[in-house]
Amino acid sequence: MKKFYAASLIALIAATPAVARQLTIDDVQTFERVGAPTASADGRWLVWQQRSTDLAENKGRYDLWRLDLTKAGAAPTKLVADPAVNETDPQIVGSTLYYAANDAIWSIPVTGGSPRRITDFGGGFSGFKVAPTADRIVVWADRKPGAPSLQPAMVKKDPLAGEARIYDRMFVRHWDTWADGTRSQLFVLPIDRGMARGDGKAVEGTMIGDTPSKPFGGGEEIAWSPDGRMLYFALREAGASAAVMEPLSTNLDIFQVPADGSAAPVNLTDANDATDNLPVISPDGRKLAYFAMRRPGYEADRQVLTIRDLATGKLVSLTERWDRSVGSIAWAPDSRSLYVTAQDTQENPLWRVDAANGQVTRLTELGNVSSVTVLPRGVVVSMNSLTAPDDFYRVAGAGTPQRLTSVNAAKLAGIDMPTVTRFNFKGANNDTVWGYAVKPYGSTGEVPIAYMVHGGPQGSSNNSWSTRWNPAVFAGAGYGLVAVDFHGSTGYGQAFQDAIRNNWGGWPLEDLQKGLKAATDKFDWLQADNACALGASYGGYMMNWFEGKWPDRFKCIVQHDGVFDARAMAYETEELWFDEWEHGGKAYYEDPQAFEKWNPVNYVDKWKTPMLVITGEKDFRIPYTQGLATFTALQRRGVPSRLIVNPNENHWVLKPNNSRQWYREVLGWMDRWTGKTN
């Protein structure tokens, strides 16, 4: 089995002090975090937003950094860094850098100078994109449906009104936000002599929906034509004429509309009732690239790179024969090929796809490519791994990526990272299943096991860095972390990914049972009889399933935002398409047995393993009531248990000090039941 030499992939350019130490969550929280960069058309300048953490204020703050790509070994420098504001979303067009700050859009010469505020509209906004011709700018903002401009609507307060929210249709709430009657919409402002004054003009007409999509959509769902005359955007229609209610629909379509709003949007993908997204126009203006799914209602279907000839309407499913799912799309400058990312066996590499024949060439090997920025020659990617946060690399052809930055070199100096080793075994259906084991640096004896189960469930325990659920932090605390990509995981082909449907507690449980045995058989430094299991979301569901179906294996369990009662979940969650697809495509009342077959609540009588339960009051995906019910079951059964409720967190724990508390509680719980002493 080969090892992840991820630390050498993203080697630190720093001298190691005489005294080294293990990684902690305090380290992870204070690391700088780079955003997706923007590059000048001549390939000289690279600019990005960079987040620093203010632990005292319990938040991050953002500045803009710049790198001269023409100078070998050049060091990044701050370009815009007002300590009183956050500067975000940099975009270079021509010789000008545009960015967002203080509810406005600003500009500054990319070579440096004084920032200039170029907008004066009110009411706030979520994002923007400058046309390649620099004569228009599109802004997306939450406004009342049909708003003609960015000007906020005047609201007359009813003196007799109460505090109640009143709804006649879903969504009532989504992810972590209650519906307030507004929608994310597009507004175009002309740029005249460097200024974009006024409130702009709406371009979506009478359509009702969110563009970009909520809760996670951004500028990648909106594209300009090279001549600045057309806009392309993805939207899921939610008007009264929609064929199905919004929480059941994954039917995002791509629309084309004149940037001046002179005509209504045209649906370019109306023939496909599944998801179409990530529109990107070729530099020659002739073709639209996007991904298309095939099955309506399935949010994790294969994302096939699709090309539309804008003159003829001809469609080509370019990666139809490639059993991988494209995650990002960017055209090469000559319009003859595209750069995409796609997961493959615990890695997320960069690939080049020939626009004529669909031939796929892998350009990077180990590591997670998290952003792609095209240069006149090659690309710049941000890349991370299990043992290193993001930095920038230049990729030219299939050679070794050239490192450009080491933004955390000083903070990483003196920290010894763990060793990560991959392994595989025969799992359910006799399929090959992959996993990895993370060994604490310098460990010479046996260590207790942290058995981590990923969420999704269509996700992966892959070779990537994360602030949340960071395997290196668990290794730094003295645990041998083991993770397995069970049936349903991404990066192994669509059939393997689809295998979890109607099978939540079946093949995945078999894989996880066989995977832990395979790891303890292979790695003699793991204490086979001293393991704790932990997981969130689907992983949290599996923790509840372990309690009833694998009750004698673990010293303790950590369950974060997991499903406890499938019946209640079917009526409480917001994106109904997910829960219903995963259990066969019908509502609970139409096929209750499909949900009850894998329902943890039915096996509470078997529960005995000590469990830490964590939930967030703003989690509307798996509502906190599921966590309360889990804790009630444990307490009623007399099982040692503890409940943590985050009043201001959603499905994730995002605030720095809440994250630090999370790790203290989780590791403290595991230490208690494994008997580990520091």
Side-chain angles (χ1 to χ4, degrees):
M1 301 302 141
K2 80 175 182 180
K3 293 185 177 181
F4 281 165
Y5 290 104
S8 62
L9 165 69
I10 308 180
L12 302 176
I13 305 176
T16 303
V19 178
R21 61 180 179 81
Q22 302 283 356
L23 181 74
T24 70
I25 185 54
D26 287 352
D27 296 318
V28 173
Q29 282 294 345
T30 57
F31 288 160
E32 303 285 301
R33 305 181 200 177
V34 299
T38 179
S40 57
D42 61 5
R44 178 178 181 182
W45 297 109
L46 192 74
V47 178
W48 63 92
Q49 69 181 43
Q50 188 163 311
R51 180 190 187 274
S52 303
T53 301
D54 186 334
L55 290 177
E57 294 294 325
N58 197 25
K59 64 181 182 181
R61 65 169 313 277
Y62 297 83
D63 297 317
L64 302 184
W65 289 70
R66 181 184 63 181
L67 179 66
D68 188 342
L69 296 175
T70 64
K71 296 181 179 179
T77 58
K78 286 184 178 180
L79 178 59
V80 187
D82 184 339
V85 300
N86 287 325
E87 299 95 2
T88 62
D89 201 10
Q91 301 169 35
I92 301 175
V93 179
S95 59
T96 302
L97 175 76
Y98 300 86
Y99 64 94
N102 271 0
D103 276 337
I105 300 168
W106 300 66
S107 70
I108 187 175
V110 71
T111 52
S114 298
R116 179 188 190 190
R117 178 172 176 155
I118 70 169
T119 61
D120 58 6
F121 59 81
F125 70 106
S126 301
F128 73 97
K129 210 167 221 184
V130 180
T133 48
D135 59 349
R136 290 187 177 99
I137 187 169
V138 61
V139 174
W140 47 98
D142 288 354
R143 297 292 188 270
K144 293 292 183 181
S149 71
L150 282 160
Q151 183 175 0
M154 297 296 294
V155 179
K156 293 182 180 180
K157 184 170 179 61
D158 182 353
L160 301 179
E163 296 179 341
R165 304 183 186 99
I166 300 173
Y167 300 96
D168 294 307
R169 61 183 301 163
M170 301 170 74
F171 284 114
V172 167
R173 57 185 188 175
H174 200 180
W175 187 249
D176 59 5
T177 306
W178 285 91
D180 63 359
T182 64
R183 291 284 184 169
S184 183
Q185 301 168 67
L186 301 181
F187 305 90
V188 174
L189 293 79
I191 299 178
D192 181 27
R193 287 174 289 185
M195 305 298 290
R197 299 298 192 189
D199 295 314
K201 181 178 181 180
V203 296
E204 293 173 49
T206 59
M207 292 191 305
I208 298 177
D210 290 296
T211 181
S213 62
K214 292 184 177 181
F216 304 121
E220 72 283 354
E221 298 187 357
I222 297 164
W224 282 100
S225 62
D227 62 8
R229 296 176 60 187
M230 288 287 179
L231 269 172
Y232 299 82
F233 61 91
L235 179 138
R236 173 177 40 237
E237 288 192 81
S241 62
V244 295
M245 69 173 65
E246 195 173 7
L248 287 173
S249 173
T250 61
N251 186 20
L252 275 76
D253 283 312
I254 295 173
F255 295 82
Q256 172 186 283
V257 66
D260 61 5
S262 59
V266 175
N267 189 339
L268 300 181
T269 62
D270 189 45
N272 181 26
D273 290 334
T275 300
D276 302 289
N277 208 342
L278 304 189
V280 190
I281 305 301
S282 60
D284 62 14
R286 296 170 56 190
K287 295 179 179 179
L288 166 69
Y290 61 98
F291 79 71
M293 295 184 183
R294 294 288 182 265
R295 289 171 283 183
Y298 185 20
E299 68 177 16
D301 201 6
R302 186 160 64 103
Q303 299 180 174
V304 178
L305 180 61
T306 304
I307 306 295
R308 178 188 179 96
D309 188 302
L310 290 171
T312 67
K314 180 182 177 182
L315 296 178
V316 177
S317 297
L318 200 59
T319 58
E320 189 66 49
R321 293 172 294 174
W322 186 38
D323 194 12
R324 292 295 181 266
S325 193
V326 300
S328 66
I329 305 169
W331 282 95
D334 62 5
S335 301
R336 297 173 62 182
S337 62
L338 303 99
Y339 296 100
V340 304
T341 55
Q343 293 185 53
D344 183 65
T345 316
Q346 296 183 309
E347 309 290 348
N348 189 41
L350 176 70
W351 313 77
R352 183 173 55 239
V353 183
D354 189 294
N357 58 27
Q359 180 179 343
V360 178
T361 304
R362 186 167 179 162
L363 299 180
T364 63
E365 292 300 326
L366 303 183
N368 172 57
V369 173
S370 55
S371 73
V372 181
T373 303
V374 179
L375 303 176
R377 293 185 179 180
V379 298
V380 169
V381 301
S382 37
M383 189 158 54
N384 59 63
S385 77
L386 278 163
T387 55
D390 271 301
D391 268 302
F392 297 123
Y393 295 78
R394 190 197 301 264
V395 179
T400 301
Q402 174 194 357
R403 187 188 184 99
L404 298 173
T405 62
S406 301
V407 297
N408 286 298
K411 294 180 179 180
L412 282 162
I415 297 175
D416 283 327
M417 288 293 180
T419 301
V420 183
T421 306
R422 282 172 60 175
F423 66 95
N424 63 33
F425 58 94
K426 291 298 182 182
N429 199 39
N430 206 36
D431 292 332
T432 298
V433 177
W434 286 89
Y436 60 67
V438 185
K439 182 180 181 181
Y441 179 87
S443 174
T444 57
E446 291 185 346
V447 294
I449 299 169
Y451 196 36
M452 185 181 292
V453 180
H454 71 68
Q458 291 86 6
S460 173
S461 296
N462 60 11
N463 186 17
S464 63
W465 184 264
S466 177
T467 304
R468 299 175 292 111
W469 296 86
N470 188 303
V473 172
F474 286 90
Y479 287 90
L481 186 134
V482 178
V484 168
D485 269 357
F486 48 84
H487 279 82
S489 299
T490 53
Y492 305 90
Q494 196 61 41
F496 189 89
Q497 189 169 315
D498 291 346
I500 197 168
R501 189 188 191 199
N502 283 320
N503 200 9
W504 268 36
W507 287 2
L509 176 62
E510 184 178 343
D511 290 339
L512 289 163
Q513 290 173 327
K514 291 179 176 178
L516 184 55
K517 185 178 188 306
T520 55
D521 286 349
K522 179 176 178 59
F523 303 109
D524 58 9
W525 46 270
L526 293 173
Q527 291 180 356
D529 60 349
N530 195 17
C532 281
L534 58 161
S537 195
Y538 173 83
Y541 159 85
M542 186 53 71
M543 297 304 102
N544 289 335
W545 197 242
F546 280 0
E547 280 280 5
K549 289 293 187 176
W550 204 9
D552 298 308
R553 181 61 181 90
F554 298 101
K555 300 290 188 180
C556 68
I557 286 175
V558 178
Q559 191 267 83
H560 184 144
D561 290 341
V563 175
F564 168 73
D565 182 357
R567 180 180 185 178
M569 172 70 176
Y571 292 107
E572 291 179 345
T573 192
E574 17 84 286
E575 291 183 352
L576 298 178
W577 65 70
F578 164 73
D579 202 44
E580 293 188 10
W581 176 274
E582 291 298 308
H583 295 91
K586 295 182 178 180
Y588 181 91
Y589 62 85
E590 295 174 310
D591 188 7
Q593 184 52 40
F595 293 79
E596 294 299 339
K597 184 177 182 180
W598 310 116
N599 194 351
V601 75
N602 294 329
Y603 302 94
V604 171
D605 62 318
K606 305 290 195 306
W607 286 25
K608 63 174 69 174
T609 308
M611 180 188 283
L612 175 65
V613 182
I614 307 171
T615 189
E617 286 190 32
K618 291 187 176 181
D619 184 0
F620 302 155
R621 183 61 43 89
I622 300 179
Y624 73 90
T625 49
Q626 294 277 314
L628 292 178
T630 304
F631 185 63
T632 299
L634 291 160
Q635 293 276 301
R636 186 66 181 83
R637 286 275 300 155
V639 179
S641 49
R642 189 170 193 173
L643 173 67
I644 298 174
V645 180
N646 279 301
N648 294 306
E649 298 286 4
N650 54 34
H651 201 54
W652 303 329
V653 176
L654 301 175
K655 292 181 173 61
N657 287 328
N658 289 346
S659 177
R660 297 165 79 199
Q661 181 187 43
W662 185 95
Y663 278 94
R664 286 196 303 271
E665 290 288 343
V666 169
L667 291 170
W669 184 258
M670 294 169 65
D671 290 350
R672 172 183 171 184
W673 295 103
T674 62
K676 189 184 79 64
T677 56
N678 295 319

